[in-house]
Amino acid sequence: MEFRSVKGSDYYVISPLINAWWGGRQMSDKLPKLFFDHFQNTSFIAEQDGKIIGFLIGFLSQTHPEEAYIHFVGVHPDYRKCGVGRQLYHKFFDIVKKNGRHIVRCVTSPVNKTSIAFHTRMGFAIEKNGDKEVDGISVYTDYDGPHQDRVLFVKELEA
Ligand SMILES: CC(C)(COP(=O)(O)OP(=O)(O)OC[C@H]1O[C@@H](n2cnc3c(N)ncnc32)[C@H](O)[C@@H]1OP(=O)(O)O)[C@@H](O)C(=O)NCCC(=O)NCCS
């Protein structure tokens, strides 16, 4: 497996795959091309034999100088639970630390139990100040708009 930075043309390969990789959820419109054009220094592709098997789209916060944010991570269904997601996250953590930042945030939908399990295993804490609980997890109702509830994750990186 090899890792490289994202490039603009990756959008045309990855976008058509997203809804299937997310189990049929309509997710591709949440990742427009701008992310592939303007966040290349902090976004990564995992490839095997020239085929894209995973990707991470993240960025350094413009507003919070100690923070970075992971917007999307996806691994080809045939390559899951083999450490691809973990390695993509560590690539991101390394570049975040090189930029003098130590806090990483991301959000996920409460229905995405895989994402909640993955982020928990990756050492993220769940923000506890949501307004309700779903399966014992604190959830922020309508966080991303009507009916768009979210679980909020935060991780402090070790120096
Ligand atoms: C979430 C996702 C990126 C994980 O990628 P992955 O390559 O399978 O994850 P890894 O193999 O690197 O696993 C890292 C850790 O998470 C755990 N994990 C991964 N998937 C899990 C699952 N479905 N249930 C429980 N734990 C899981 C692994 O066991 C591992 O923990 P460990 O090293 O302590 O044993 C992948 O399942 C995916 O693409 N899902 C669909 C898209 C998605 O929901 N993305 C996240 C929201 S943006």
Side-chain angles (χ1 to χ4, degrees):
M1 185 172 35
E2 288 170 359
F3 294 92
R4 62 169 172 81
S5 296
V6 159
K7 55 187 188 223
S9 58
D10 292 324
Y11 170 76
Y12 299 105
V13 178
I14 289 172
S15 185
L17 302 171
I18 286 178
N19 294 343
W21 284 20
W22 263 254
R25 293 174 63 211
Q26 297 301 304
M27 296 293 288
S28 60
D29 55 353
K30 293 180 166 50
L31 192 62
K33 185 157 188 297
L34 71 91
F35 284 99
F36 293 78
D37 290 335
H38 296 287
F39 298 97
Q40 294 179 352
N41 295 354
T42 52
S43 299
F44 301 97
I45 298 282
E47 282 180 327
Q48 187 142 304
D49 303 323
K51 177 178 143 185
I52 293 177
I53 60 165
F55 69 96
L56 180 155
I57 304 288
F59 52 87
L60 305 176
S61 174
Q62 297 278 306
T63 309
H64 304 292
E66 298 187 331
E67 299 190 9
Y69 188 89
I70 296 173
H71 179 50
F72 255 66
V73 60
V75 173
H76 187 299
D78 293 347
Y79 294 85
R80 289 185 189 163
K81 296 243 191 143
C82 304
V84 180
R86 178 179 287 281
Q87 289 183 73
L88 284 165
Y89 266 51
H90 281 287
K91 296 285 285 182
F92 184 75
F93 296 160
D94 286 348
I95 196 85
V96 164
K97 284 196 273 189
K98 278 189 185 129
N99 281 274
R101 307 201 173 204
H102 63 102
I103 295 168
V104 178
R105 293 186 187 277
C106 50
V107 308
T108 202
S109 167
V111 300
N112 195 340
K113 303 298 182 202
T114 299
S115 177
I116 294 168
F118 170 74
H119 285 97
T120 302
R121 295 301 301 165
M122 291 304 300
F124 283 79
I126 292 174
E127 300 269 22
K128 299 269 190 266
N129 291 328
D131 57 304
K132 67 181 176 192
E133 283 205 355
V134 176
D135 299 332
I137 288 173
S138 182
V139 170
Y140 292 69
T141 303
D142 297 343
Y143 181 83
D144 266 333
H147 313 298
Q148 299 294 323
D149 299 354
R150 296 289 180 262
V151 176
L152 276 55
F153 296 105
V154 61
K155 180 178 168 76
E156 180 107 18
L157 301 180
E158 288 161 22

